[in-house]
Amino acid sequence: MSNTPDNYQDLRQAVSALCSEFNGAYWQAIDEARTYPETFVEALTKAGWMAALIPEEYGGSGLSLTEASVIMEEITKSGGNAGCCHGQMYNMNTLLRHGSLEQKSRYLPKIASGELRLQAMGVTEPTAGTDTSKIKTVAVKKGDHYVVNGQKVWTSRLQHSELMILLARTTPLQEVKKKSEGMSVFLVDKREALGKGLTMRPIRNMVNHETNEVFLDNLEIPAANLIGEEGKGFKYILDGLNAERILIAAECIGDGYWFTEHAVKYAKERVVFDRPIGQNQGVQFPIAEMYMEIEAANLMRYKASALFDAGRHCGAEANMAKHLAAKASWEAANVCLQTHGGFGFAAEYDIERKFRETRLHSVAPVSPNMILSFIGTRVLGMPRSF
Ligand SMILES: Cc1cc2nc3c(=O)[nH]c(=O)nc-3n(C[C@H](O)[C@H](O)[C@H](O)COP(=O)(O)OP(=O)(O)OC[C@H]3O[C@@H](n4cnc5c(N)ncnc54)[C@H](O)[C@@H]3O)c2cc1C
């Protein structure tokens, strides 16, 4: 199942050729062992795709977010799980747009060469949840460094990343005019922090997603690692979150095509009551419907990424793209599973793995209620409930 031809056919073919070396059996084995797909991420790095967004002057490929989203889509469309590598794409944006020249020259060439990974982002906390302004992690400036105390949860890929983007409060909530003010973003070098104030504990979860609880206990971060201006971190993170939403939307689109391809193939091949099950409209129509939903969500994904690349506001579109794509891929997962009947539950068919993986996107990085609330209040101007 392929999408409508677009301007990215060369890119698609190159990424898809790499992905074809990592088949369903590879991803199933990784899923079963609950390990990190290191060989895949290495191959992706070697081919330069992990450095897609890094400008050429720093050794990267200088691609747009739209192109980065095509890379993510090709990974999930091939049957892979892009959760192992998308962090570098959206975190990069925070460093690129708001980091100093000194920070960029220090880190970007090493990230581009694969020596370092910037795969982790610590925003979510156990008590604050979606209400980010209530985070309790605090960073206090003392001379040439900040002392950080607090706790994060669901910090993904930290075991396989040297660098982490960290959000902490630098001005107490009671002392700021707007609750989104007074938070700052830091670049944490795990090689210097581990065992010196930073500890992490993996969280076993439904998907094979490498993610952690993180404890920050008097962790010292050099003041030079503050990204942008103190107190403006939430704004920077929001920028990154829009990038993340667009990339995740593209992953869902890729999943959606994968589910469509598998559902169609099985519906044509499986013969029950002396005819292919796909000849029954009760089986065929849901597949046609899910395909339309994916195609429609794909249009919003391209609209959002085009706005992002043009440096224009894209909060509404990024949210809508993520919401529509996650809904479409989840529906596609359900229909694909149903089409396979009992065999959909057999690990060997790989449907149940992709089903679990795509389900995540209806919760992370943001849940549907938050998006509906954003559209209802910020876009449509209805009263806020919180
Ligand atoms: C596998 C995985 C990986 C993740 N990776 C990262 C990561 O790398 N970095 C990171 O910072 N975070 C990460 N997250 C966290 C993720 O972004 C959050 O789980 C998500 O944003 C929801 O926050 P929460 O779990 O605290 O839910 P809560 O905020 O506790 O909300 C629970 C439910 O209640 C709903 N809800 C809450 N308040 C309202 C309201 N006022 N009105 C209507 N509904 C409401 C929510 O929509 C949600 O469905 C990850 C999560 C998972 C599961």
Side-chain angles (χ1 to χ4, degrees):
M1 184 60 46
S2 67
N3 42 359
T4 319
D6 55 23
N7 297 330
Y8 308 103
Q9 292 308 308
D10 290 348
L11 175 63
R12 287 187 184 284
Q13 274 165 21
V15 180
S16 139
L18 185 150
C19 291
S20 67
E21 291 167 31
F22 300 87
N23 60 14
Y26 171 82
W27 289 105
Q28 274 175 50
I30 292 281
D31 180 65
E32 210 170 309
R34 283 292 195 271
T35 52
Y36 187 74
E38 194 60 54
T39 327
F40 172 73
V41 178
E42 286 253 5
L44 211 59
T45 309
K46 226 165 153 192
W49 303 125
M50 289 287 281
L53 293 174
I54 300 180
E56 286 171 301
E57 71 216 77
Y58 294 110
S61 328
L63 299 183
S64 62
L65 187 77
T66 305
E67 289 162 310
S69 79
V70 168
I71 299 173
M72 293 298 117
E73 179 193 337
E74 286 299 323
I75 295 172
T76 53
K77 198 165 85 185
S78 76
N81 176 2
C84 60
C85 55
H86 60 201
Q88 185 128 309
M89 305 282 184
Y90 61 79
N91 284 331
M92 188 58 60
N93 188 68
T94 311
L95 183 57
L96 282 177
R97 288 201 171 174
H98 310 288
S100 66
L101 271 179
E102 202 274 325
Q103 288 167 340
K104 288 188 214 174
S105 354
R106 180 143 50 110
Y107 292 109
L108 291 179
K110 288 186 180 165
I111 300 172
S113 73
E115 187 183 331
L116 298 179
R117 284 184 192 155
L118 174 58
Q119 286 260 62
M121 177 182 74
V123 171
T124 308
E125 297 192 0
T127 53
T130 314
D131 190 0
T132 309
S133 67
K134 302 266 173 53
I135 58 167
K136 291 189 179 139
T137 298
V138 289
V140 179
K141 193 159 186 208
K142 288 200 172 141
D144 62 356
H145 62 267
Y146 284 83
V147 178
V148 184
N149 281 288
Q151 190 183 338
K152 297 285 170 184
V153 71
W154 303 116
T155 309
S156 302
R157 296 163 298 273
L158 187 56
Q159 313 267 352
H160 294 88
S161 178
E162 287 75 28
L163 303 170
M164 164 172 68
I165 298 281
L166 178 76
L167 185 73
R169 214 168 236 299
T170 36
T171 308
L173 188 55
Q174 317 74 269
E175 291 173 27
V176 290
K177 279 200 205 113
K178 277 171 71 182
K179 60 184 184 173
S180 56
E181 290 169 358
M183 288 178 273
S184 303
V185 170
F186 299 90
L187 194 59
V188 177
D189 191 327
K190 193 185 80 182
R191 295 165 305 172
E192 287 163 13
L194 208 57
K196 292 181 197 152
L198 181 141
T199 46
M200 54 189 177
R201 196 158 60 204
I203 305 173
R204 196 180 191 284
N205 55 86
M206 179 172 132
V207 201
N208 179 33
H209 196 93
E210 196 269 87
T211 189
N212 305 275
E213 278 184 286
V214 173
F215 304 92
L216 305 154
D217 184 13
N218 286 324
L219 171 71
E220 292 188 4
I221 303 178
N225 283 26
L226 170 76
I227 294 184
E229 278 179 60
E230 190 183 292
K232 300 210 170 142
F234 189 64
K235 206 168 138 263
Y236 306 155
I237 287 283
L238 279 186
D239 245 12
L241 294 184
N242 283 335
E244 184 181 25
R245 278 159 209 193
I246 294 166
L247 292 166
I248 300 278
E251 287 173 35
C252 291
I253 301 290
D255 276 339
Y257 287 129
W258 188 92
F259 286 120
T260 310
E261 184 186 337
H262 283 72
V264 168
K265 186 167 178 290
Y266 195 77
K268 284 185 188 166
E269 285 171 5
R270 172 76 170 166
V271 175
V272 179
F273 294 112
D274 304 320
R275 54 176 165 167
I277 54 167
Q279 203 176 334
N280 304 304
Q281 292 179 334
V283 174
Q284 185 185 101
F285 286 4
I287 301 175
E289 177 101 40
M290 85 197 209
Y291 178 66
M292 287 192 273
E293 300 279 353
I294 295 154
E295 287 283 272
N298 204 12
L299 296 176
M300 185 56 78
R301 163 267 186 115
Y302 279 121
K303 182 176 181 187
S305 67
L307 288 169
F308 186 96
D309 285 330
R312 293 175 55 194
H313 286 297
C314 66
E317 290 77 7
N319 273 295
M320 290 192 283
K322 189 266 166 194
H323 183 75
L324 295 172
K327 249 176 81 170
S329 74
W330 175 233
E331 180 57 21
N334 239 331
V335 169
C336 187
L337 188 91
Q338 199 66 28
T339 305
H340 280 75
F343 290 109
F345 290 81
E348 182 192 336
Y349 280 71
D350 229 9
I351 314 292
E352 61 86 33
R353 174 181 64 84
K354 291 286 278 181
F355 180 93
R356 285 182 277 120
E357 286 170 3
T358 219
R359 180 62 180 84
L360 171 64
H361 301 311
S362 297
V363 171
V366 60
S367 51
N369 281 358
M370 293 301 119
I371 294 185
L372 294 170
S373 157
F374 180 89
I375 300 299
T377 59
R378 301 285 198 87
V379 178
L380 303 176
M382 290 185 275
R384 293 185 67 148
S385 73
F386 59 89

